[in-house]
Amino acid sequence: MSAVAAELTVRVARKQTVALDICSLDLVAADGSALPAFEAGAHVDVHLPGGLVRQYSLCNPPGETGRYQIAVLRDAASRGGSLAVHEAVPEGATLRISTPKNHFPVAAGAPHHLLLGGGIGITPLLAMAEQLTAQGQPFDLHHCTRSRERTPFVEQMAASAFASRVQHHFDDGDAAQKLDIAATLRAAPAGTHLYVCGPQGFMDAVLAAGRAAGWPEERLHREYFAAAPVDHSNDGAFELEIASSGRVIPVRADQSALAALLAAGFDIPMSCEQGVCGTCLTRIKSGTPEHHDQYLTPEEQAANDQFLPCCSRAKTPRLVLDL
């Protein structure tokens, strides 16, 4: 059974508005010490008022150990995390966060990098742009937003060392400046790696265009902020067998596999509880899972040797877990 991830106590040293309905937080160690180093693409789990835990990408330059910077969109359709940050976390507040985790790293050795951000999805890509610039690696950054006033860090990007590599695309602008995904992919140098983060529809469109253009999955990198809605109306009951002991745990139709495991006393690490972050990834020894996550690649899902118990279920009556 797994141990709980390390946590840090941080203070909100600065809270500022960086675009309409978007605020940024500078988090510093509460005891004044240096924070653990991180690499571009990393995120932290933030424990918010009301018992919520949410994941936010670090957007400041990697290598900075004096602060972590996150940015959060006020989203009325969210599950409460964004409102908590905007309304219940003032400057000076103390928070608990995880140490940085990275499921969205920059590919080492890639000849070129193409960063495509939608809205608040710019956050991990900002850190990537900083890291790639510092390393002298070639890249292009495209940021699609509804309008200039809703574009976070627009002035910061304009003043950055990588300003010439940034193109903004506004929904309310003229047609000529809007992002042509297919044309952008065609213009990319051979062997380019693509990184995309943003709203579900934007990410789906970018990844579909990449696959249609023949880009292999290992060159398509993505970071999801939230899962797409899943229809659970036809969910059925199934069983989990623990390989190490032979114990069988029933999972009700209205219950997640993760909830069943936790109720049975297993310490499964978890965070987002919606199949995005990969924290609860569990290996399968036999049986066929029904994948509902957005963490595993299509190839990893097809292998059927691991699943996310927070959201995924079973196609077979029983899954044997490597626990």
Side-chain angles (χ1 to χ4, degrees):
M1 300 187 190
S2 302
V4 176
E7 289 186 354
L8 306 168
T9 300
V10 295
R11 178 175 54 83
V12 180
R14 187 182 188 193
K15 182 177 184 179
Q16 60 180 328
T17 298
V18 292
L20 182 63
D21 288 333
I22 298 176
C23 70
S24 72
L25 305 181
D26 283 5
L27 308 175
V28 301
D31 63 2
S33 62
L35 293 165
F38 71 95
E39 293 189 342
H43 70 272
V44 292
D45 301 337
V46 181
H47 295 258
L48 296 168
L52 300 173
V53 181
R54 296 291 181 265
Q55 294 71 44
Y56 296 110
S57 297
L58 300 179
C59 54
N60 54 305
E64 288 189 354
T65 56
R67 65 164 182 155
Y68 294 151
Q69 185 181 46
I70 62 173
V72 181
L73 169 69
R74 180 193 291 269
D75 183 0
S78 80
R79 296 174 301 137
S82 74
L83 291 179
V85 171
H86 277 262
E87 298 177 2
V89 180
E91 197 167 281
T94 299
L95 297 169
R96 286 185 302 123
I97 66 170
S98 70
T99 52
K101 309 173 186 182
N102 201 346
H103 304 311
F104 190 43
V106 173
H112 193 86
H113 306 267
L114 178 60
L115 316 180
L116 300 182
I120 194 64
I122 190 65
T123 49
L125 306 183
L126 270 182
M128 289 183 180
E130 294 281 6
Q131 180 170 306
L132 292 169
T133 299
Q135 295 172 345
Q137 296 190 46
F139 70 94
D140 293 296
L141 170 60
H142 294 264
H143 190 197
C144 300
T145 54
R146 289 168 59 187
S147 63
R148 183 182 176 86
E149 69 174 353
R150 292 184 177 275
T151 304
F153 305 112
V154 63
E155 293 87 1
Q156 176 180 318
M157 284 186 269
S160 71
F162 55 84
S164 63
R165 298 186 177 276
V166 178
Q167 290 189 52
H168 292 287
H169 308 274
F170 305 123
D171 289 351
D172 65 355
D174 64 80
Q177 54 87 55
K178 294 185 179 179
L179 177 65
D180 183 331
I181 299 172
T184 301
L185 296 180
R186 285 195 300 270
T192 293
H193 279 243
L194 169 71
Y195 308 81
V196 60
C197 187
Q200 180 80 39
F202 174 78
M203 296 184 62
D204 288 347
V206 168
L207 293 171
R211 291 168 184 138
W215 288 41
E217 288 295 326
E218 60 266 23
R219 284 169 43 209
L220 300 176
H221 310 276
R222 67 283 219 190
E223 176 90 311
Y224 286 99
F225 278 118
V230 176
D231 180 6
H232 291 290
S233 59
N234 294 317
D235 286 352
F238 59 99
E239 295 178 332
L240 302 173
E241 179 181 333
I242 307 305
S244 63
S245 65
R247 181 181 177 187
V248 175
I249 299 168
V251 182
R252 302 189 311 269
D254 63 347
Q255 181 184 39
S256 71
L258 177 62
L261 289 166
L262 295 174
F266 286 83
D267 181 17
I268 307 296
M270 62 179 188
S271 185
C272 75
E273 298 183 67
Q274 52 176 341
V276 171
C277 72
T279 302
C280 66
L281 187 66
T282 303
R283 297 201 66 80
I284 295 172
K285 302 198 81 168
S286 69
T288 304
E290 180 180 287
H291 297 288
H292 292 304
D293 70 277
Q294 290 167 321
Y295 175 75
L296 297 172
T297 66
E299 289 81 4
E300 289 171 333
Q301 289 185 344
N304 288 327
D305 59 357
Q306 53 189 339
F307 84 138
L308 278 296
C310 67
C311 65
S312 297
R313 302 189 68 77
K315 293 182 178 179
T316 49
R318 178 180 293 187
L319 299 178
V320 180
L321 305 184
D322 190 11
L323 292 172

